[in-house]
Amino acid sequence: MPYSRRSPTISDVAREASVSIATVSRVLNAKAPVAGNTAERVRAAIEQLEFVPRAAARILASRHTDTVGLLLPEIGESFFSPLLRGIEAEARAAGFDLLIHTTSHIPHASSPAAGRSLAEHNTDGLVVFTQSIDLNELKRLHRINFPVVLTFQRAPKSIAIPTVIIENQRGARELVDHLIAVHTCRRIAFLQGPDGNEDSQQREHGYRLSLRAHHIPEDPTLIGLGGFNQEDAQRTVHDWLSAHLVFDAVFAADDGSAAGAYLALRQAGKRIPQDVKVVGYDDSPIAQFLTPPLTTVRVPIEQVGRAAVSQLVRQIRGRRANG
Amino acid sequence: MPYSRRSPTISDVAREASVSIATVSRVLNAKAPVAGNTAERVRAAIEQLEFVPRAAARILASRHTDTVGLLLPEIGESFFSPLLRGIEAEARAAGFDLLIHTTSHIPHASSPAAGRSLAEHNTDGLVVFTQSIDLNELKRLHRINFPVVLTFQRAPKSIAIPTVIIENQRGARELVDHLIAVHTCRRIAFLQGPDGNEDSQQREHGYRLSLRAHHIPEDPTLIGLGGFNQEDAQRTVHDWLSAHLVFDAVFAADDGSAAGAYLALRQAGKRIPQDVKVVGYDDSPIAQFLTPPLTTVRVPIEQVGRAAVSQLVRQIRGRRANG
DNA sequence: ATGAAAGCGCTAACAG
DNA sequence: CTGTTAGCGCTTTCAT
């Protein structure tokens, strides 16, 4: 066994197979014709040397990576599960690899990673989850014509970037209508998502429309932060309860915050749904495990992922076709 | 506005700042001294041209990427949330970027992505989640001395690869002891994890040890597939019930399958815990939302992530130091 | 169908 | 402190 020598390069393969590196490259990429037995020799050499082309060299020379990137603020929330499934499936189907990159909430200007750009980090295009990219960076990408698609977020109107968004307002409105009409709720609290989240804003708008349609005055004290997570929601509802606010229903902007509401309510001895009704949004896995099962609105998250990649790939191909 | 011209390179910056490309490189990497005002000019040029170094070129030239990769079989399971948090935090702390790559369960030998290697896909090292890599590929990586650390899985003993694993057997044993001693359970079913999963195997072993210690005979019919997911577990428990198997407790190898057991039990009109007790493992978020709250065992998943990266970084640095 | 040669954009000695 | 000069390993014309 020789000492761990450097891993083989295309030249090693070429030498081993007694051909030029160009030929090796051709069999690697199958883009140009290679004679049957020549190709066979090359393949044998590749196998024998366990040659694996260096991605960086390939990318540098070819100027494309055949991979799409996904930017996520923080991975792991159950919401991402179907989104990723969709993105992964579609990317693979289109012959692209997928690289996921989580963005830090706190920009470390001084970190060694600063100055590197995600976009150029070896991808041909980017699917960007809402709020996980800086506006200036987005503008820059758009300016250099780098393929990007935004999900769950509209592009600032100054820059035309494709977007995949979902319907929220109507779903929210119907949910609240139901609370009012069927369950005779009149004091309905709303748990907002993270600051600036468009889905949450639209759900809130649907909520307001419903109240208005039923001549129920809005009460600002009944609107608080759910933050799309259990902890924030739990705290907010707990605070409401401590302040002796009166409400007969909680509309949580997502299921995670609905779960937080359940916890706070239970802890205060409130019964669900007898004392307070709780509804959520997204139809995430948690919904069916809550007791009673959470009323929620189904969102086609996986399809958003697929649509986003499909649109992205179209952009990438377009660029390659032209120049 | 000029037509979308090629994005600027280091030479453009050098020209703009009237310095050599080496100097630009130096201010980029801050590895060698550069005079204050020279650096200033270069920075201005970079900003003005919106120069972003091409990752591929950097990697090719420097032979390292400053990023670590993570291989996951399928992302999004709640289990991964804390794991990712740990990995991300530690990688960032060490000055590394993180790229997540999900591996397909079904190898597409013919897919365009086939033949590319994840390992060399622009990372300096890999954290590999259990069962998400092929044994041959693992051997190859080891042979070429590529830094890898395995999590939740021991390395095949023929290859010495660092590993971060957790304690399972004792936790499982104590959990089952408790079921027997405190709750006088005698017929305890076990829901296994995916085939070959080591954590599950060890938990199962702890379960068997406990039974044996209490002179309770093992009943193979009471062991079925939970698959670390709700659906499989639900189906298995449903089948047990349909077959009129008698059991007074279910030990699910993870919380997800415990949730599935809840569903099947409820559906059959069984009360938890009066008729059947259910316990899980991992202490995942779902545990506290089940009714009654699931008894489970806390697993330091996030710490596994941190430890894995920390070990990986050590390997990478070691390689760089020597050569 | 195959080879030769010119880069891709950057880092890393090596001089000075 | 700064510039020059080789490459890094691969793809891609352009010939043949």
Side-chain angles (χ1 to χ4, degrees), chain A residues 1 4-8 50-60 63 65-67 73-78 80-81 84-85 88 92 94-106 108 111-113 115-118 120-122 136-137 140 143-145 230 234 256 259-260 262-263 266 285-286 288-291, chain B residues 1 4-8 50-60 63 65-67 73-78 80-81 84-85 88 92 94-106 108 111-113 115-118 120-122 136-137 140 143-145 230 234 256 259-260 262-263 266 285-286 288-291:
Chain A
M1 200 64 143
S4 130
R5 61 232 143 182
R6 298 178 51 286
S7 41
E50 294 186 303
F51 167 69
V52 178
R54 230 62 100 242
R58 247 180 163 168
I59 294 168
L60 184 58
R63 306 162 82 44
T65 66
D66 288 334
T67 107
E74 182 196 354
I75 213 162
E77 301 301 321
S78 71
F80 295 141
S81 183
L84 283 164
R85 199 166 25 245
E88 228 186 311
R92 226 187 288 273
F96 282 76
D97 219 354
L98 174 67
L99 246 29
I100 300 163
H101 201 293
T102 64
T103 59
S104 168
H105 291 281
I106 333 92
H108 305 245
S111 89
R116 293 187 221 154
S117 166
L118 284 178
E120 284 92 341
H121 207 308
N122 308 318
N136 286 324
E137 175 67 358
R140 187 181 68 78
R143 207 177 312 123
I144 65 175
N145 213 23
Q230 179 229 301
Q234 184 172 2
Y262 266 63
L263 252 24
R266 282 276 155 66
I286 186 87
Q288 68 174 314
F289 290 112
L290 292 173
T291 308
Chain B
M1 200 63 146
S4 129
R5 61 232 143 181
R6 300 177 50 285
S7 40
E50 293 187 305
F51 167 70
V52 178
R54 229 61 101 244
R58 255 185 158 162
I59 294 168
L60 185 59
R63 305 161 83 44
T65 66
D66 288 335
T67 107
E74 182 195 354
I75 213 161
E77 300 303 321
S78 70
F80 294 141
S81 183
L84 282 163
R85 200 170 18 248
E88 228 185 310
R92 227 188 287 275
F96 282 76
D97 218 354
L98 174 67
L99 246 27
I100 300 162
H101 202 293
T102 64
T103 59
S104 169
H105 291 279
I106 331 95
H108 304 246
S111 90
R116 292 187 223 154
S117 165
L118 285 177
E120 284 91 342
H121 208 309
N122 308 317
N136 287 323
E137 174 66 359
R140 186 180 70 78
R143 209 176 311 123
I144 66 176
N145 214 22
Q230 179 229 301
Q234 185 172 3
Y262 267 62
L263 252 25
R266 283 277 154 69
I286 187 86
Q288 69 174 313
F289 290 112
L290 291 173
T291 308

Side-chain angles (χ1 to χ4, degrees), chain A residues 107-298:
Chain A
H108 305 245
S110 59
S111 89
R116 293 187 221 154
S117 166
L118 284 178
E120 284 92 341
H121 207 308
N122 308 318
T123 60
D124 291 345
L126 239 37
V127 172
V128 178
F129 184 79
T130 186
Q131 296 182 309
S132 52
I133 197 176
D134 175 71
L135 178 60
N136 286 324
E137 175 67 358
L138 189 63
K139 282 183 178 161
R140 187 181 68 78
L141 293 175
H142 180 249
R143 207 177 312 123
I144 65 175
N145 213 23
F146 188 84
V148 172
V149 13
L150 262 26
T151 60
F152 299 99
Q153 183 186 27
R154 272 174 306 220
K157 59 183 176 309
S158 56
I159 41 185
I161 292 185
T163 272
V164 180
I165 57 180
I166 58 173
E167 198 292 314
N168 287 299
Q169 190 180 297
R170 191 177 148 210
R173 155 115 205 224
E174 287 174 358
L175 193 59
V176 178
D177 281 351
H178 180 83
L179 243 24
I180 297 172
V182 180
H183 298 292
T184 66
C185 299
R186 303 242 102 210
R187 293 194 46 81
I188 304 172
F190 180 70
L191 285 170
Q192 299 173 312
D195 238 48
N197 182 282
E198 292 184 9
D199 291 313
S200 174
Q201 289 168 350
Q202 291 165 11
R203 289 166 196 177
E204 180 172 343
H205 191 222
Y207 155 85
R208 289 177 195 279
L209 286 181
S210 176
L211 292 185
R212 204 166 308 157
H214 292 86
H215 309 293
I216 298 177
E218 286 174 26
D219 181 348
T221 62
L222 287 182
I223 295 187
L225 180 71
F228 278 179
N229 71 71
Q230 179 229 301
E231 293 78 9
D232 286 345
Q234 184 172 2
R235 193 173 315 118
T236 296
V237 174
H238 172 264
D239 291 349
W240 284 341
L241 259 11
S242 304
H244 301 291
L245 284 191
V246 178
F247 50 96
D248 49 19
V250 174
F251 171 25
D254 86 323
D255 291 349
S257 48
Y262 266 63
L263 252 24
L265 255 11
R266 282 276 155 66
Q267 197 179 311
K270 300 289 182 186
R271 291 166 309 162
I272 304 169
Q274 296 91 333
D275 300 330
V276 178
K277 282 156 193 61
V278 178
V279 298
Y281 217 102
D282 286 352
D283 192 19
S284 68
I286 186 87
Q288 68 174 314
F289 290 112
L290 292 173
T291 308
L294 178 66
T295 298
T296 183
V297 178
R298 179 104 253 275

Side-chain angles (χ1 to χ4, degrees), chain B residues 7-44:
Chain B
S7 40
T9 74
I10 199 173
S11 323
D12 298 321
V13 176
R15 193 178 321 113
E16 179 75 22
S18 314
V19 296
S20 71
I21 60 171
T23 298
V24 177
S25 178
R26 284 179 191 116
V27 349
L28 245 27
N29 299 300
K31 287 284 196 178
V34 175
N37 42 25
T38 314
E40 220 27 85
R41 282 215 316 287
V42 172
R43 265 190 285 275

